[in-house]
Amino acid sequence: MKITALLVLKCMPEGADPIILANACDVSHFGFFQRSSVREFIVFVSRTVAKRTPPGQRQSVQHEEYKVHSYNRNGLCVIGFMDDHYPVRSAFSLLNQVIDEYQKNFRESWRTAQADSTEPWPYLDNALTKYQDPAEADKLLKIQRELDETKIILHQTIDSVLARGEKLDSLVEKSSDLSAASQMFYSQAKKTNQCCSIL
């Protein structure tokens, strides 16, 4: 999973090309001689997708193994270039965070921009690095991953107990903590459930 670029653009009325307000991209995984062409392609696709994303809308455009996600909030549009494996929910969560942070830092000053900005925005560069892991952008994904890890550990623990040759049935029979009635209940319940189990 990889984020290649994040851009913030001002969408112009009357179909004019959007203005780039902030741009961060990581093209290090491309060949050295391809990098400038890739940057130009990112700018071209960003303007094209931003121009075609209506205000208040989100959309994803697939191109080969990449997806371009966009979110237009009343003329302020954020674009993310991710590979196909980056979860869509995490991508839009990231775009929402970027647009919130941009509005918090720059307020409404973006509305007066008339040309592309070449000044770096450190937050965007940091976000490009930090959110390479989708769990950082999407807290639900992070919680799900932690639950999956816990489940794996529990399965490994139970398997390791059973791997030592101890079976639950033999433990129940040997246990002095269980009364005869509890042992009888366990064996009856096991017999009853055998008729209904599906393997």
Side-chain angles (χ1 to χ4, degrees):
M1 290 179 261
K2 178 113 178 95
I3 303 174
T4 302
L6 292 171
L7 295 92
V8 181
L9 299 98
K10 172 189 174 185
C11 291
M12 302 293 287
E14 296 96 35
D17 280 344
I19 295 171
I20 296 175
L21 303 171
N23 182 353
C25 63
D26 174 17
V27 292
S28 61
H29 56 284
F30 291 98
F32 180 78
F33 296 107
Q34 296 175 321
R35 292 178 184 171
S36 63
S37 297
V38 170
R39 283 190 188 98
E40 290 173 3
F41 183 74
I42 287 170
V43 168
F44 168 74
V45 171
S46 296
R47 289 189 204 275
T48 304
V49 171
K51 188 190 293 188
R52 289 167 173 77
T53 303
Q57 297 291 312
R58 296 169 189 202
Q59 68 179 353
S60 298
V61 178
Q62 177 88 32
H63 178 68
E64 294 176 5
E65 71 271 8
Y66 292 97
K67 277 189 180 166
V68 180
H69 302 285
S70 68
Y71 174 39
N72 184 336
R73 186 187 289 170
N74 300 321
L76 184 62
C77 189
V78 63
I79 305 280
F81 285 77
M82 285 90 167
D83 68 7
D84 198 27
H85 302 293
Y86 202 90
V88 174
R89 190 175 77 200
S90 299
F92 282 113
S93 178
L94 169 58
L95 297 184
N96 203 42
Q97 289 176 27
V98 168
I99 208 164
D100 286 344
E101 192 67 26
Y102 190 87
Q103 287 184 316
K104 188 170 91 176
N105 284 315
F106 299 100
R107 308 245 182 252
E108 296 294 314
S109 65
W110 62 271
R111 292 189 186 277
T112 59
Q114 297 297 318
D116 290 347
S117 173
T118 56
E119 290 184 33
W121 182 33
Y123 173 83
L124 203 57
D125 294 318
N126 293 338
L128 186 65
T129 305
K130 179 180 178 183
Y131 297 117
Q132 292 297 332
D133 178 11
E136 290 295 325
D138 186 359
K139 299 303 178 193
L140 287 177
L141 183 65
K142 188 174 186 175
I143 291 168
Q144 182 64 46
R145 187 179 290 169
E146 289 171 2
L147 287 174
D148 289 343
E149 288 171 5
T150 303
K151 189 168 87 174
I152 290 168
I153 291 169
L154 285 174
H155 283 293
Q156 289 172 346
T157 305
I158 291 170
D159 289 342
S160 66
V161 167
L162 295 177
R164 289 183 287 190
E166 297 176 286
K167 291 194 172 187
L168 191 57
D169 295 338
S170 63
L171 290 175
V172 167
E173 289 173 14
K174 293 177 186 176
S175 176
S176 60
D177 293 334
L178 295 174
S179 68
S182 295
Q183 289 177 354
M184 181 85 140
F185 174 77
Y186 175 77
S187 61
Q188 289 292 79
K190 188 171 180 183
K191 285 179 188 175
T192 305
N193 287 334
Q194 281 179 345
C195 74
C196 301
S197 64
I198 298 172
L199 298 176

